[in-house]
Amino acid sequence: MNWPDLSMGGYGFYVWGSYLFALVAIVWEVLSLRHRKKALANEARRAVADDDRPAAVRTTVLRGSTNETTS
Amino acid sequence: MKLYKYASPAMFYPVAGKMIPWFAIPAALLFAVGLYVGFFVAPTDFQQGDAYRIMFIHVPAAWMGMFLYVLMAIYAGIGWAFNARLSSMMASAIAVTGAMFTLLSLVTGAFWGKPTWGTWWAWDARMTSTLILLFLYAGFIALQAAIDDPRRADRAGAVLAIVGVINVPIIYFSVQWWNTLHQGATIRLLGKPSIAAPMLTALLIMLAACWLYSVAIVLVRLRCIILEREQNASRLAEVNA
């Protein structure tokens, strides 16, 4: 195995810049989805807890908002 | 076996969950192998020096941007024509990943263009049509986000996605139709590729890795969309009752 020249024959900035951007893009996508999944799980947990409360004080969670509405 | 029962979002949700590791793990392995071949095995290009190594991420990203757009339009079209919710959700799940790959191809292309052509950007046919592809993705995502009723959002998105498909062959053939700054195709469906074997191997492994990654990440997003929409549907029903 021969290690590649890290300076990439003078093109290091461009080569590593490209791969760094790719890494950032993929990590961003994975982390943002993980965050979205967690938020959904929390919302579901809250909804389950809500169902145990009397109907008059139930919280209805609608998309993107956490308005307290009584049904 | 009744396969069509998996067309229901609630039925497909656990199946998608089981499928994710089968794509995510091979994707990670193939990224590692592809980068190894690309950086340690493939020789330095006699014309472009080491700058050509950008293509191992640039070319798969550009291909994925185009493939995913067509796939998104097909799913959106099926969802629209047959009123298939899961299919429309799939289209929405694909959009962000497709946009990510298109942006990646534009950025890595700029990183390639600067040392080889002397410019980060040119209003050349291929680059301009790829930028339009990114705008189409952005338009699809924004349009869906702007409409509250998910089924109406699906239909509006489908129209945009299907009309925008015309742009994909334009991107693909732009280097033949117009005299562009961008170089011609290196790998053709018919005929010999014009690059050395290890370079081609690295490129194809990276392409496979990008495909597997896309499937895995789209399934993760699809599961989120299923939860959000089905949850909203049941809660809305509760509010309206």
Side-chain angles (χ1 to χ4, degrees):
Chain A
M1 186 169 100
N2 53 329
W3 281 90
D5 173 16
L6 279 183
S7 72
M8 289 282 139
Y11 295 120
F13 171 72
Y14 305 103
V15 176
W16 301 124
S18 295
Y19 284 93
L20 184 69
F21 186 84
L23 184 73
V24 168
I26 288 174
V27 168
W28 164 81
E29 196 175 21
V30 171
L31 289 185
S32 70
L33 274 175
R34 180 171 292 179
H35 181 79
R36 189 165 164 184
K37 250 170 75 176
K38 266 202 193 125
L40 277 167
N42 286 340
E43 203 171 293
R45 217 169 294 134
R46 220 177 310 131
V48 169
D50 250 9
D51 289 342
D52 296 336
R53 294 158 66 191
V57 288
R58 247 182 233 176
T59 317
T60 306
V61 186
L62 287 173
R63 188 193 228 171
S65 71
T66 46
N67 295 340
E68 291 259 343
T69 7
T70 46
S71 52
Chain B
M1 199 168 104
K2 288 173 184 162
L3 267 179
Y4 61 81
K5 77 174 184 187
Y6 291 113
S8 134
M11 291 299 290
F12 190 70
Y13 184 85
V15 180
K18 282 198 195 100
M19 282 162 73
I20 291 164
W22 292 95
F23 290 95
I25 296 164
L29 291 175
L30 284 187
F31 270 129
V33 175
L35 289 174
Y36 173 78
V37 177
F39 279 90
F40 295 96
V41 182
T44 300
D45 188 73
F46 78 100
Q47 263 185 337
Q48 301 186 357
D50 282 313
Y52 92 93
R53 292 185 204 276
I54 294 171
M55 83 166 180
F56 297 131
I57 188 70
H58 172 72
V59 176
W63 283 349
M64 291 313 298
M66 291 191 285
F67 284 145
L68 288 176
Y69 190 89
V70 175
L71 203 61
M72 177 182 90
I74 291 172
Y75 273 114
I78 293 174
W80 184 24
F82 300 104
N83 206 18
R85 275 179 306 150
L86 185 62
S87 195
S88 300
M89 291 179 192
M90 191 66 155
S92 311
I94 292 171
V96 180
T97 302
M100 188 279 276
F101 274 118
T102 306
L103 178 67
L104 186 55
S105 82
L106 286 170
V107 171
T108 55
F111 271 119
W112 193 358
K114 186 62 186 164
T116 48
W117 303 328
T119 178
W120 294 102
W121 178 262
W123 292 103
D124 139 288
R126 178 159 270 184
M127 287 173 246
T128 308
S129 50
T130 307
L131 185 65
I132 292 171
L133 183 72
L134 182 64
F135 291 157
L136 283 168
Y137 275 122
F140 180 88
I141 296 165
L143 185 64
Q144 291 216 314
I147 303 174
D148 280 334
D149 174 10
R151 294 304 292 155
R152 276 189 58 214
D154 286 341
R155 282 195 293 275
V159 175
L160 177 69
I162 291 166
V163 171
V165 165
I166 187 70
N167 188 43
V168 173
I170 293 177
I171 298 173
Y172 190 79
F173 292 110
S174 58
V175 286
Q176 293 174 26
W177 293 344
W178 294 286
N179 185 13
T180 59
L181 188 58
H182 197 285
Q183 67 192 72
T186 307
I187 295 153
R188 294 170 197 88
L189 282 178
L190 305 165
K192 269 171 95 171
S194 53
I195 53 171
M199 296 183 186
L200 180 64
T201 310
L203 193 58
L204 294 178
I205 295 172
M206 289 296 280
L207 179 66
C210 287
W211 255 118
L212 291 165
Y213 167 79
S214 301
V215 175
I217 205 87
V218 164
L219 287 175
V220 174
R221 189 175 296 110
L222 179 67
R223 274 162 59 94
C224 289
I225 294 173
I226 291 175
L227 276 188
E228 284 161 1
R229 286 217 194 161
E230 303 294 281
Q231 199 166 295
N232 277 338
S234 61
R235 307 218 133 236
L236 275 174
E238 202 177 296
V239 173
N240 293 332

